[in-house]
Amino acid sequence: RDLAVPRRHEPHAHRVRGLPRAVAKETDNVAIALDRAGTWEDHLARLSANARHNLRRGTARAAADGLAVAFDVRSSCGLGEPLDTPSARRMLREARAVYLRRQAGRYAHAGIRASFYFRHLNYISLSVPGDCGVLAVLRLGGRIAASLEGYANFRRGALEVPRVSMDDAFAAYGPGRLLVAECLKWMLSATGLSTLDLCRGGERYKYDLGGTRYVTRRMTCDFGGFAA
């Protein structure tokens, strides 16, 4: 790559020589590949002893606290119950409420503008209900502790998940780890998909469950005030 040194305030951005005011930005992503000929137990056996322990500890702690663990999937492309039923719409609203509470803390400086954006303008919020969308939730004691929203890419054989959200009230149980584990079980037993692409973010639990890193690059060019 013929890339110049990145600017200080763009730690993953690089000036690209030969293009007018061009910047290439790199993003780390994580995807988990499944062996379609194997079972969940086979995949679990390939994980580290610590990863298996963390899964057992989360479910054991929930059981000790009297919290039933339940996993549910809805989709607009034939994987699980449909997303356009009244119960599915209620589940989506509940999952979005958890997501918006988390974003409110992260973007408190933006106030109501951030809430409006994530509710009405964000591409994930707009497209998941009808664009080969998939919604999966993990409930602890009847409440959504974690959820994921994504798309079934049948050509690639992947479930692509740009949004994972967790309720901080359940952080002690590792809800993100439990959700992804349940989703992998479901993919192996009920779909023809072989990759769970968790997209951006390098959270530890993604790697613990068998994830590998890959990089995406986005290039932006400024042609005299017109960005492309």
Side-chain angles (χ1 to χ4, degrees), residues 91-220:
M91 191 169 82
L92 182 58
R93 286 195 298 270
E94 187 181 351
R96 293 271 173 88
V98 172
Y99 172 74
L100 289 169
R101 283 198 300 272
R102 193 175 178 91
Q103 297 307 307
R106 184 176 298 176
Y107 298 100
H109 61 283
I112 195 171
R113 290 176 298 168
S115 177
F116 182 85
Y117 168 75
F118 287 115
R119 285 178 186 273
H120 305 293
L121 300 178
N122 179 265
Y123 78 95
I124 304 169
S125 299
L126 294 174
S127 61
V128 161
D131 203 12
C132 278
V134 175
L135 168 68
V137 303
L138 180 91
R139 294 184 184 273
L140 293 177
R143 291 173 53 192
I144 290 181
S147 67
L148 61 81
E149 296 180 50
Y151 315 94
N153 185 333
F154 293 105
R155 179 176 298 180
R156 182 186 170 204
L159 176 58
E160 299 167 346
V161 181
R163 176 180 290 172
V164 178
S165 184
M166 286 158 277
D167 188 335
D168 291 334
F170 296 98
Y173 307 97
R177 183 179 291 106
L178 296 179
L179 171 67
V180 171
E182 291 296 330
C183 192
L184 292 171
K185 292 181 195 177
W186 167 73
M187 287 174 63
L188 281 167
S189 64
T191 78
L193 305 176
S194 58
T195 299
L196 178 59
D197 189 341
L198 294 166
C199 300
R200 292 190 303 176
E203 292 85 349
R204 184 70 246 172
Y205 73 88
K206 297 180 181 180
Y207 292 103
D208 286 347
L209 291 170
T212 56
R213 172 182 173 269
Y214 71 95
V215 174
T216 55
R217 296 178 177 87
R218 182 179 66 181
M219 184 176 293
T220 304

Side-chain angles (χ1 to χ4, degrees), residues 1-158:
R1 295 180 304 172
D2 187 16
L3 301 177
V5 177
R7 294 186 295 177
R8 287 181 180 271
H9 63 283
E10 292 178 343
H12 299 292
H14 308 273
R15 288 290 186 177
V16 181
R17 293 173 183 167
L19 291 176
R21 304 171 75 178
V23 175
K25 294 185 179 181
E26 296 185 351
T27 302
D28 286 345
N29 306 264
V30 180
I32 302 173
L34 293 168
D35 179 3
R36 293 298 313 170
T39 64
W40 165 247
E41 287 70 26
D42 295 330
H43 183 81
L44 194 62
R46 289 192 290 270
L47 305 182
S48 69
N50 184 62
R52 295 194 298 271
H53 169 73
N54 286 334
L55 284 172
R56 291 194 299 268
R57 183 178 62 179
T59 53
R61 180 173 290 179
D65 292 341
L67 300 177
V69 179
F71 176 73
D72 196 2
V73 179
R74 306 296 174 94
S75 83
S76 58
C77 53
L79 299 176
E81 295 295 320
L83 254 175
D84 60 356
T85 63
S87 63
R89 286 193 289 269
R90 284 194 300 271
M91 191 169 82
L92 182 58
R93 286 195 298 270
E94 187 181 351
R96 293 271 173 88
V98 172
Y99 172 74
L100 289 169
R101 283 198 300 272
R102 193 175 178 91
Q103 297 307 307
R106 184 176 298 176
Y107 298 100
H109 61 283
I112 195 171
R113 290 176 298 168
S115 177
F116 182 85
Y117 168 75
F118 287 115
R119 285 178 186 273
H120 305 293
L121 300 178
N122 179 265
Y123 78 95
I124 304 169
S125 299
L126 294 174
S127 61
V128 161
D131 203 12
C132 278
V134 175
L135 168 68
V137 303
L138 180 91
R139 294 184 184 273
L140 293 177
R143 291 173 53 192
I144 290 181
S147 67
L148 61 81
E149 296 180 50
Y151 315 94
N153 185 333
F154 293 105
R155 179 176 298 180
R156 182 186 170 204

